[in-house]
Amino acid sequence: MSRGSGLVGLSILMVSYNAADHLGATLRSLQGAAAPSDPHEVLVTDNGSADDAADVAEDLLGTGAVERLNRNTGFAFAVNRTAERAKGDYFLLLNPDACPRPGSIDAALALLRARPQTGIVGGRCVTPDGQVDPRSCFGRITAWSLTSGMLGLSSVFRGSALFDPESLGDWQRDDDRPVDVVSGGFLLVSRETWERLGGFDETYRIYGEDQDLCLRAAAAGLQPRIAPSAEFEHAVGASSANRANRDVLVLTGRATVVRQHLKHKEYGLFAMRTGVALRALAESVLRKQPRWREVWRRRADWSGGWQARAQEMTSL
């Protein structure tokens, strides 16, 4: 049920998990130069961090703004719980390691207000040295993008509009244009759109929930966009250090999107499995350290998507 308040124009929603240093830096920025002009609130939900992330948030925001879930519930679940506490008419989903630059949030809000049919607005991600990081948005998963990935074309021709279509070519995210998917690391959405779509699908634990949300928005007649002036700095390398483990999580999210949104889902899953098998074979022939061989060994963990993993947990 809607709880929008004229006293709070924007709710900034953050989920923390073992990211105390990044969380503290971003929260301090939001209290300083990066603070939006609109009356706003910052809400944090901690997913059972082993570091002192929740303590850092409480020290900066007060205990009322922080909820401790005491376990890793998954990103989608935690975001939805944070949104339930929000009072704003707009929600900004912001990762702890995505630090907005001054004026960025205002720029995103201005675009969404000027184009309400957009529904969802993303920003322009940059690295600490100022280079564009294309991961602020990307193209939808298609049979062709999966074929290119299976054959290694998207790796050989990285950034190619033809052979790596999900990367959106060499576009520098420097002009206002519609996109298929806005990253959940910096995603502005109106309360109306969020409630209309039902928030994140909690089937997704991590990875893929932003693509699912944007594809459902498009199916509802909305058109997500990027605001080029809404820059945020991403701390490169802040995510999982174990590449095989991260690959399994990413592939689980992708398999879920394929199962839910791709017309030829069986081919899509075949392309995913074949792509991993070919990489594992090449890795073995070249005697490289096991990464894709480990991912191939764990193919049952990811090829069924988050739905299958949830069913496995339920049956235990």
Side-chain angles (χ1 to χ4, degrees), residues 172-189:
Q172 296 296 296
R173 281 60 173 166
D174 52 1
D175 63 328
D176 166 14
R177 65 171 70 176
V179 296
D180 290 327
V181 182
V182 169
S183 167
F186 184 106
L187 185 153
L188 178 69
V189 58

Side-chain angles (χ1 to χ4, degrees), residues 19-60:
D21 290 342
H22 294 297
L23 178 64
T26 298
L27 289 177
R28 284 188 287 271
S29 178
L30 290 171
Q31 293 175 337
S37 300
D38 276 46
H40 62 279
E41 63 180 354
V42 182
L43 302 173
V44 174
T45 298
D46 184 75
N47 254 339
S49 296
D51 61 6
D52 58 349
D55 293 334
V56 168
E58 287 185 350
D59 288 345
L60 291 167

Side-chain angles (χ1 to χ4, degrees), residues 206-207 242-256 272 276 291-303 305-306 309:
I206 186 172
Y207 299 119
N242 187 311
R243 296 182 72 183
N245 284 343
R246 182 181 183 277
D247 291 334
V248 167
L249 294 175
V250 171
L251 287 168
T252 305
R254 287 176 66 81
T256 310
M272 290 180 64
V276 171
R291 172 189 172 187
W292 292 109
R293 281 173 284 175
E294 175 65 13
V295 176
W296 174 251
R297 185 185 68 80
R298 295 170 60 185
R299 62 192 178 277
D301 291 343
W302 54 262
S303 60
W306 288 117
R309 297 182 72 167

Side-chain angles (χ1 to χ4, degrees), residues 12-16 23 27 42-46 53-54 57 61 65-68 82 85:
I12 300 175
L13 315 181
M14 303 181 70
V15 173
S16 60
L23 178 64
L27 289 177
V42 182
L43 302 173
V44 174
T45 298
D46 184 75
L61 301 174
V66 181
E67 181 176 3
R68 298 175 185 247
T82 316
R85 299 188 282 132

Side-chain angles (χ1 to χ4, degrees), residues 70-101:
N70 299 317
R71 61 189 178 91
N72 188 1
T73 63
F75 182 68
F77 179 93
V79 170
N80 285 352
R81 299 293 80 73
T82 316
E84 289 172 356
R85 299 188 282 132
K87 299 176 182 178
D89 296 314
Y90 296 90
F91 300 159
L92 175 65
L93 280 54
L94 187 67
N95 277 1
D97 60 354
C99 190
R101 290 188 167 179

